[in-house]
Amino acid sequence: MKKIDLVYTRLRTEERMILEALRKRDCAVELHQDSDLVLPLDAERWPGGNVVLMRSMSLTRSRYLAAILEVKGARVVNSARAIATCGDKILTNLALAAHGVPMPWSFAGFEEEACVAEIERRGYPVVTKPAVGSWGRMVARIDGRSAAEGLMQMRFETGSASDHVALVQQYIDKPGYDLRVYVMGRAVGGIRRRSEHWVTNTARGAVPERYEVPESHAKLAERAAAAVGVDIAAVDLLETRGGELLVNEINHCVEFARSIEITRVPLPELIADYAIGVHP
């Protein structure tokens, strides 16, 4: 019988469904709450299974735990490198750029006046977002100089020194939706997220719809996932009104509770099959 360790923060709907899918496949699953794990920083073998499915909701915990467990000989899905890259939007953009994956233009800046000057040079509107963050939080559209000055001042005068970086991205005039493609080595399905608001996260009220993923979309999502080295991912695509397709973000801890009934993509089963498939 194969054994898989599942690391989690809370047993949400997603984790319970994955757990059920693994057990239905006669897989022994050991649960580890991330807050309970205390691991020595050495190369002593991990006493659990050969495969660890990382479902921690914390970027800090997940990337450190993955790195420690990898040194201890575990095959972690997703890897520490993939988690660190996907969890930081600047690093994600750099990985996509290095592999020639199309995406909105963006820049990183470290001082208020320099960022405002660059925004002015490129033109409005633009989008600013935190380098590290999820669920569409702290994402804002900048339509003019006053907003640029106010938001950049807020970015550089609040938080700790590690927060004092601005990520500014091209604003894409979407046709009322964005696209999410689920990748597990290959594209396995997707959702369309429709909203009257320009932010189309389901956490911000966007409505998920069924979406039959065309081959061109699937190949782009697979290229993006390969660029950041991720096993299991949700790749967010933006489609311009002119039909151009761009990669926006890549999520390393796939969430699906709000959309699985509508899309009918069997994500828990697919995740279970992938984790079992990488088992040595």
Side-chain angles (χ1 to χ4, degrees):
M1 178 182 289
K2 291 184 176 179
K3 179 182 176 183
I4 290 179
D5 293 284
L6 194 155
V7 177
Y8 69 97
T9 301
R10 296 198 308 267
L11 282 177
R12 303 170 296 173
T13 300
E14 287 93 343
E15 284 71 41
R16 293 181 187 279
M17 295 176 78
I18 293 169
L19 178 60
E20 181 182 2
L22 286 167
R23 287 175 172 166
K24 282 183 177 179
R25 286 156 174 75
D26 294 324
C27 185
V29 183
E30 187 167 343
L31 297 173
H32 305 271
Q33 192 163 15
D34 56 12
S35 58
D36 293 337
L37 287 171
V38 179
L39 301 175
L41 302 182
D42 57 32
E44 183 179 352
R45 301 291 294 182
W46 168 245
N50 295 106
V51 174
V52 176
L53 192 55
M54 185 60 63
R55 294 289 305 179
S56 173
M57 296 169 61
S58 163
L59 173 62
T60 300
R61 292 180 185 180
S62 61
R63 65 190 177 96
Y64 282 136
L65 286 171
I68 295 168
L69 291 169
E70 285 168 359
V71 169
K72 294 178 176 295
R75 170 70 160 89
V76 186
V77 180
N78 287 300
S79 70
R81 171 182 171 268
I83 292 169
T85 303
C86 293
D88 186 310
K89 296 177 180 63
I90 293 175
L91 297 183
T92 298
N93 285 7
L94 289 172
L96 295 175
H99 289 80
V101 177
M103 59 183 177
W105 61 254
S106 61
F107 70 81
F110 304 93
E111 194 273 333
E112 176 186 337
E113 291 185 5
C115 289
V116 172
E118 180 64 11
I119 294 170
E120 288 271 307
R121 188 184 73 81
R122 290 181 180 262
Y124 300 97
V126 296
V127 174
T128 182
K129 55 179 68 173
V132 176
S134 55
W135 302 311
R137 294 177 300 193
M138 300 296 289
V139 176
R141 187 172 72 184
I142 300 175
D143 292 313
R145 185 178 181 93
S146 294
E149 290 173 340
L151 286 166
M152 289 301 104
Q153 182 181 44
M154 185 182 301
R155 183 75 73 202
F156 289 105
E157 292 189 5
T158 59
S160 63
S162 62
D163 299 319
H164 294 169
V165 54
L167 172 60
V168 177
Q169 181 177 301
Q170 178 185 6
Y171 172 74
I172 302 298
D173 184 20
K174 300 174 292 188
Y177 61 83
D178 73 355
L179 305 168
R180 169 165 285 189
V181 179
Y182 300 112
V183 177
M184 298 174 200
R186 61 181 181 85
V188 298
I191 61 171
R192 180 185 292 108
R193 303 184 296 184
R194 188 175 296 277
S195 176
E196 294 182 3
H197 196 279
W198 67 274
V199 178
T200 45
N201 297 70
T202 53
R204 295 278 295 269
V207 177
E209 300 174 344
R210 291 196 67 183
Y211 158 54
E212 300 299 329
V213 182
E215 184 178 359
S216 60
H217 294 195
K219 288 186 179 299
L220 179 59
E222 290 166 0
R223 283 179 60 200
V228 298
V230 72
D231 286 293
I232 298 174
V235 180
D236 292 344
L237 306 178
L238 302 177
E239 192 172 14
T240 70
R241 294 186 184 274
E244 184 182 7
L245 199 64
L246 305 168
V247 175
N248 186 30
E249 295 179 5
I250 304 175
N251 302 273
H252 67 270
C253 189
V254 178
E255 297 177 332
F256 48 82
R258 292 184 177 92
S259 59
I260 191 167
E261 291 184 7
I262 295 171
T263 61
R264 300 178 189 173
V265 179
L267 288 174
E269 291 78 12
L270 292 168
I271 291 172
D273 288 339
Y274 188 92
I276 292 171
V278 301
H279 205 290

